[in-house]
Structures are given as structure tokens and as C-alpha cells.
């Protein structure tokens, strides 16, 4: 369980293990389960806020002020629970990938602690889309999607760690890659697949497929620009997949009431 505690300590604000401990070499297998725990906290807060704010219980949530406020609180809670780690990686990746013209320059920009225009524009757009997507979820799908999307985004990080080489000789991500990853990839996939099926049925499988596809494509593009991936890109992949899964869930929600029964949440 040392590796499990290391995964929690690395991905969340909970002080259960040092972020650079020995357990990190086997920690990435647990990423989807840690994401599922984060989703459970979001779903729990959502239930509390639904009662506190006296929100309507119709089929569709709708973009009412209360729901927008609640969604912003949920997105803010997720950022706080993860110390903004993935958002920081997303911002650094935006500056590097859009602001540099060579691999060396992009990697140099990624190390720069200053925040550029691309980072600000990117993170504002990302957070706006997340908040509106959460507010737009069909009521019947709201809790399943809140439970599942952090799990799928952390599966996406596990996937790109296996698919693409690391771009630096040293960095935060190297601690996660010290041990062979095929068995960790398989374990993480089983966790993500089981959660998808149990929580959201066939729709969960569609979201898992979408998360994997978005991770593969975004990882491939970043690897071409950088000669591999970095810890910042892992965080960026997490944020991109979270946003993609929430957005896709909203599109699926449009035809929710007319979907065949096997598409519905079990």
C-alpha cells in the first residue's frame, strides 16, 4: 500500500506520503482509483449543495445562477484538492507549446516560472468550459459523471506515460517512470474500465474511449513538439481530458431522454 499512499500524496493535497518518496515508482497504477476518490468528494459536495441551495430537481439542470455557482465551487474544490498541480502543468504547457519555435526553446519556456499570455488565455477558457459543462449536465447523469471524470483523466495520464518517452533526463515525472509500466497500465485500465461500467454503463465506456483517444492525440502532438513528454504535459493531458469528458457528457445529455435503455446509467 506504500505506492497507493504515494499516489494519493502526489495527486492530492492530503499529506499521506512525501511527493518524492520511493513509492512513486509504482504509484501511477493507482491514479484512476485516486481520481475516483476525488470524484466521490465532488459528488458528495454536489449532494450537499443541492440541498443547501434548494436547487430544482427537473430532468435538466439548466444554466441557472445557482447551478453556475455550484459548478464553480466544484471546479474550485477539485483544483484545491490537487493543489492546482495539473492546472499549473496545463498553463506551462500552453506557454511552451504555443510560444516556442524549437524543441529546446519550448522546454526552456516550460521551466520558466513566469506566466505568459498563452497560459492565461488557456486556463481561463479551460475553467469556463468546465464550469459551464458541469452546470449543464442532465440531473440523472450529474452524479455519475462527477464520480467518473477525475478517474478517466488520471487514467489518461497513465496511458500517455506508457505511450510516449520522457523528454528530459531529470524532472518530477522521472520518479513516476523508474519502474516498468505495462503491469501498472493494465491495473489502471482495469480500474478505469470497471468504474466506467459500474458507474455509467455503456455511456461510461464511451467516455472511457473518448478519454483514451483525447489522451493519445494530445500526447502525440505534444511529443512531436517537445521530443517527448514532461511532467507538465502529464498535467495538461489530465486537464484536457477532464474538459473533454465533461463536454462529451453534455452532448450525450442532449439526447438522454430518447436514448435506448442500455445507454442509461445502471
Amino acid at each position: 500500500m506504500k505506492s497507493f499512499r504515494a499516489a494519493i500524496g502526489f495527486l492530492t493535497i492530503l499529506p499521506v506520503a512525501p511527493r518524492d518518496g520511493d513509492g512513486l515508482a509504482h504509484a501511477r497504477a493507482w491514479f484512476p482509483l485516486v481520481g475516483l476518490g476525488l470524484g466521490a468528494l465532488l459528488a458528495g459536495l454536489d449532494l450537499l449543495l443541492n440541498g443547501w441551495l434548494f436547487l430544482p430537481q427537473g430532468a435538466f439542470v439548466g444554466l441557472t445562477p445557482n447551478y453556475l455557482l455550484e459548478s464553480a465551487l466544484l471546479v474550485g474544490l477539485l483544483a484545491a484538492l490537487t493543489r492546482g498541480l495539473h492546472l499549473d502543468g496545463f498553463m506551462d504547457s500552453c506557454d511552451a507549446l504555443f510560444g516556442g519555435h524549437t524543441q529546446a526553446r519550448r522546454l526552456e519556456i516550460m521551466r520558466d516560472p513566469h506566466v505568459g499570455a498563452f497560459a492565461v488565455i488557456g486556463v481561463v477558457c479551460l475553467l469556463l468550459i468546465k464550469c459551464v459543462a458541469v452546470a449543464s449536465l442532465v440531473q440523472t447523469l450529474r452524479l455519475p459523471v462527477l464520480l467518473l471524470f477525475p478517474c478517466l483523466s488520471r487514467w489518461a495520464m497513465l496511458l500517455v506515460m506508457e505511450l510516449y518517452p520522457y523528454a528530459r533526463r531529470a524532472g518530477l515525472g522521472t520518479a513516476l517512470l523508474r519502474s516498468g509500466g505495462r503491469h501498472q497500465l493494465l491495473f489502471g485500465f482495469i480500474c478505469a474500465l470497471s468504474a466506467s461500467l459500474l458507474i455509467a454503463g455503456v455511456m461510461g465506456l464511451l467516455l472511457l474511449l473518448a478519454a483514451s483517444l483525447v489522451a493519445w492525440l494530445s500526447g502525440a502532438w505534444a511529443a512531436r513538439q517537445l521530443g517527448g513528454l514532461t511532467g507538465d504535459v502529464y498535467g495538461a493531458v489530465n486537464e484536457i481530458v477532464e474538459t473533454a469528458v465533461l463536454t462529451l457528457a453534455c452532448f450525450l445529455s442532449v439526447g438522454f431522454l430518447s436514448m435506448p435503455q442500455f445507454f442509461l446509467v445502471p
Side-chain angles (χ1 to χ4, degrees):
M1 299 302 290
K2 182 178 180 181
S3 58
F4 182 50
R5 292 197 305 271
I8 297 174
F10 182 78
L11 292 177
T12 76
I13 199 171
L14 300 177
V16 297
R19 293 183 61 197
D20 55 354
D22 295 335
L24 282 179
H26 300 279
R28 65 186 188 273
W30 300 99
F31 279 14
L33 277 182
V34 176
L36 193 60
L38 291 169
L41 292 174
L42 295 181
L45 178 61
D46 183 68
L47 288 173
L48 290 174
L49 291 175
N50 264 270
W52 178 43
L53 296 176
F54 303 101
L55 299 179
Q57 298 297 316
F60 284 86
V61 173
L63 297 180
T64 65
N66 277 354
Y67 275 114
L68 286 173
L69 173 60
E70 180 187 359
S71 299
L73 290 173
L74 292 175
V75 172
L77 173 65
L78 184 58
L81 288 172
T82 58
R83 303 184 308 275
L85 177 68
H86 309 308
L87 283 172
D88 179 69
F90 175 80
M91 294 173 70
D92 288 342
S93 297
C94 285
D95 275 339
L97 294 171
F98 295 107
H101 300 289
T102 65
Q103 287 185 4
R105 178 56 182 156
R106 293 179 189 116
L107 290 171
E108 181 184 351
I109 291 174
M110 199 168 282
R111 286 193 180 277
D112 192 333
H114 298 92
V115 175
F118 289 114
V120 174
I121 294 169
V123 77
V124 168
C125 292
L126 182 92
L127 292 174
L128 280 174
I129 294 171
K130 276 190 183 183
C131 289
V132 175
V134 172
S136 302
L137 289 171
V138 168
Q139 185 67 27
T140 315
L141 295 180
R142 188 174 177 83
L143 286 180
V145 172
L146 289 176
L147 272 169
L148 192 56
F149 84 91
C151 171
L152 297 183
S153 65
R154 281 143 188 86
W155 150 251
M157 284 198 291
L158 176 58
L159 180 62
V160 296
M161 286 178 187
E162 183 65 25
L163 289 178
Y164 304 106
Y166 199 69
R168 302 186 192 277
R169 294 183 178 179
L172 185 59
T174 57
L176 294 166
L177 302 173
R178 286 198 297 262
S179 175
R182 290 295 171 87
H183 64 286
Q184 297 194 64
L185 183 72
L186 178 61
F187 181 80
F189 175 71
I190 291 173
C191 292
L193 177 63
S194 300
S196 300
L197 281 172
L198 292 173
I199 294 172
V202 174
M203 196 192 76
L205 289 180
L206 294 177
L207 295 177
L208 174 60
L209 178 62
S212 303
L213 181 62
V214 171
W216 172 54
L217 292 174
S218 57
W221 180 71
R224 284 198 302 271
Q225 303 301 311
L226 300 170
L229 302 188
T230 68
D232 284 325
V233 178
Y234 296 155
V237 168
N238 177 84
E239 292 298 325
I240 292 168
V241 171
E242 279 187 357
T243 306
V245 168
L246 288 170
T247 303
L248 177 59
C250 289
F251 280 112
L252 292 176
S253 297
V254 172
F256 176 75
L257 296 179
S258 60
M259 284 182 181
Q261 189 65 33
F262 63 85
F263 275 95
L264 305 185
V265 178

